Structures are given as C-alpha cells and as structure tokens.
Amino acid sequence: MSWQAYSRLRLALAEFGEPSWALDDTQLASLTPRLERQWALEERVLAYAKGQGIDLPELDLVCAVDSVRQQYQDTEAWQQAMLQVGLDEASLRLALARELLVEQVLEQVANEVPPLSPEQALAYYQQHPQRFAVPERRKVRHLLLVLDDSQAGCSKAEVMPKIQALRAQIVACPESFGALALKHSECPTALHEGLIGVVKPGDLYPELEQALFALPSGEVSGVVQSPMGLHLLQCLEIQPASDLAQEEALPKIIESHLKQARAQRQRQWLQRLMQAEVSTAS
C-alpha cells in the first residue's frame, strides 16, 4: 500500500470536504497536478533535511499515529478505515513522517525571522493611525417576524399589523422589549430576549444597519424590512468611534507582522529550493 493515499485523502478533504474515495473522476483528476507538485516539493525539503542532518523525533511520530487512531471508536473501525483509504500501518507511518519532517523544517526556517521590536511596532502604530481606528459600535436587541408568502399568515399584509402592535407596546414601555422578543420573535436570539450584542458597521443587513445607527440610545426603530422579514430594533448602548489604545495595538502589530513575515520567509525559501533544483537539473 502507498503513503501517497494519505496525501490524496488530506487534499480531498481540504479541497472538497469529502474523502478521496467519495470523489468522482473529475474531482480526483483535479487533485493530480497539485499532488505531484506537493510531492516534488516534499522531496526537495526531505533531501534538504537529510543533508542538514535534521531528524524527526520518534516520539513525535508515535504521537501523530496515536492521534489518528484516537479518531476511531475501536481497533475494528480503525482497520476498516485504513483499508478504505488504502493504507497500512507502515505506509501511514511513512506518510506522517514525511508530513511532520517537512513541517519541522519549515518551522525552523520560519524561526529565523526576528519579531518586531517594541520600538518598531510603536513606529508602525504612529505611522498608520487609520489602521487602528475602532468604528462606532452599538449594543442592540431585535425582534423578527418572518415573511413567507408560501405559509399561511406570513404575508406582509398579515404580519405588518402584528409587528406594529408590538412596537406600540414597546414604545409605551421600552423595558418590555426583551419579554416581547422572547415571546414573539422568530429569530434564535429570542432565547436571549432578542439580544444580538454589540455590532459594528457591516455586521447587519444594510437596511437594519441604517436604522440602528440612526437611533439615539434607548430608542426603538420603526418597522424595518430585510430579506428575513420585518424587524424592530432597540439601541441599548452607543460605543463611540475611537482609536485602539497603544498598549492593545502593539502586541497585535508584533503578532500580525511575525505571522506574515514567517509565512513569507517560508514561501521564499521554498521558491529558492525549487529554483536550485531546476538549476541543478539544467
């Protein structure tokens, strides 16, 4: 049995959300060039590891095999899965060893990237203030009555009077919004008395966003229609626009830069590795 079956399975799950044996011929064929590139790249990385004397700790491999086995209820289920994939114990160990050693080499390559210093992060923060602007946010409840002409009693002509009556009750007693949402709303947030939470621009349907961000704190909207149905919104709190504080921003800058720089370092290193292969072959 071949270790390549493991790679094919992993890529099939990542690409199509299905195991390789569930794919049709067209889907399987689309994996072939990507697998060939992946295997060629792995071979170059593994050759580099061998030349540098980089070895995979046996304990890492044992833990990886155990991790795969623990996904199955018992030995019989494990063995059936292995047969279905087209693997045996030896080929699985080989596939995992390749994968882990490649990851180990790439991790070493990425570790060569130094993090930004606090001074560098501060300079970035000061030079790009627009990136650390926090937009106005609002805490909101809502109540939804669904519109669906295919269901009795759910046409707009029938639902509108109901939601207008609910709005009249809320305007008379704003504190009743939660109880009325719990009783009447057809959104899962009804279980939380209609509480959506804190939202920012872009989180809601445009129709709802426009109504919400025009409300004073504590006020209730008119009836708003969205693709879901008819809504009432209650603005519970307004959090004004602000800038992300320096003490919060700097760790985020350092973390984000390091993540991007590590990924870029790995890509550049792999490109040079493959280019070196081409040069050697020619």
Side-chain angles (χ1 to χ4, degrees):
M1 296 184 185
S2 171
W3 58 265
Q4 284 95 336
Y6 176 81
S7 297
R8 188 174 292 105
L9 172 63
R10 289 287 302 270
L11 186 57
L13 290 171
E15 185 71 17
F16 299 107
E18 297 283 350
S20 48
W21 60 82
L23 302 184
D24 59 34
D25 291 342
T26 300
Q27 291 172 320
L28 282 172
S30 72
L31 300 182
T32 300
R34 294 180 58 182
L35 285 169
E36 290 176 349
R37 289 194 298 270
Q38 175 184 321
W39 294 336
L41 188 58
E42 287 177 355
E43 289 297 333
R44 293 298 299 167
V45 175
L46 295 173
Y48 171 86
K50 182 177 180 180
Q52 297 295 315
I54 302 173
D55 295 316
L56 178 69
E58 177 64 20
L59 181 59
D60 287 2
L61 181 55
V62 171
C63 290
V65 174
D66 286 344
S67 178
V68 174
R69 295 194 66 158
Q70 288 171 10
Q71 298 176 31
Y72 298 88
Q73 294 180 346
D74 51 41
T75 301
E76 182 179 355
W78 158 253
Q79 291 173 344
Q80 289 177 348
M82 292 279 281
L83 287 173
Q84 193 167 25
V85 177
L87 289 169
D88 56 17
E89 188 84 20
S91 55
L92 176 64
R93 283 177 57 88
L94 179 56
L96 290 173
R98 289 172 61 91
E99 181 179 65
L100 292 172
L101 186 52
V102 168
E103 290 176 357
Q104 180 176 319
V105 171
L106 291 177
E107 183 68 16
Q108 290 184 14
V109 169
N111 286 340
E112 298 172 3
V113 176
L116 286 181
S117 68
E119 294 76 17
Q120 290 171 315
L122 176 59
Y124 185 89
Y125 176 78
Q126 293 172 337
Q127 293 165 8
H128 303 86
Q130 71 281 0
R131 298 193 178 184
F132 304 98
V134 179
E136 178 182 312
R137 294 175 293 173
R138 296 188 171 216
K139 187 175 182 180
V140 59
R141 291 186 196 274
H142 89 137
L143 186 155
L144 166 69
L145 297 185
V146 172
L147 296 180
D148 186 349
D149 290 333
S150 67
Q151 296 188 35
C154 292
S155 68
K156 185 174 181 179
E158 295 168 295
V159 173
M160 181 64 78
K162 297 177 184 178
I163 200 165
Q164 288 175 331
L166 290 171
R167 183 178 187 277
Q169 293 181 61
I170 294 168
V171 170
C173 180
E175 294 79 12
S176 67
F177 195 112
L180 291 172
L182 179 62
K183 184 176 181 180
H184 298 283
S185 182
E186 297 173 311
C187 175
T189 58
L191 297 174
H192 305 286
E193 298 185 332
L195 183 64
I196 295 178
V198 177
V199 300
K200 63 183 183 300
D203 287 347
L204 303 177
Y205 283 111
E207 303 90 338
L208 300 181
E209 180 180 306
Q210 182 178 0
L212 173 62
F213 281 83
L215 286 175
S217 180
E219 293 295 314
V220 177
S221 72
V223 177
V224 183
Q225 184 170 347
S226 82
M228 296 176 64
L230 301 179
H231 304 253
L232 296 174
L233 304 170
Q234 184 179 42
C235 179
L236 300 176
E237 177 187 331
I238 298 175
Q239 299 179 5
S242 62
D243 293 326
L244 189 65
Q246 178 178 311
E247 57 269 21
E248 294 181 63
L250 297 193
K252 294 180 183 294
I253 293 171
I254 292 171
E255 179 184 4
S256 176
H257 173 271
L258 185 60
K259 182 178 180 179
Q260 294 179 28
R262 285 168 61 89
Q264 183 179 15
R265 173 77 176 99
Q266 289 173 337
R267 287 194 299 270
Q268 292 173 340
W269 184 83
L270 289 171
Q271 288 173 356
R272 288 199 297 269
L273 192 68
M274 295 307 289
Q275 288 170 355
E277 178 186 23
V278 172
S279 299
T280 302
S282 58

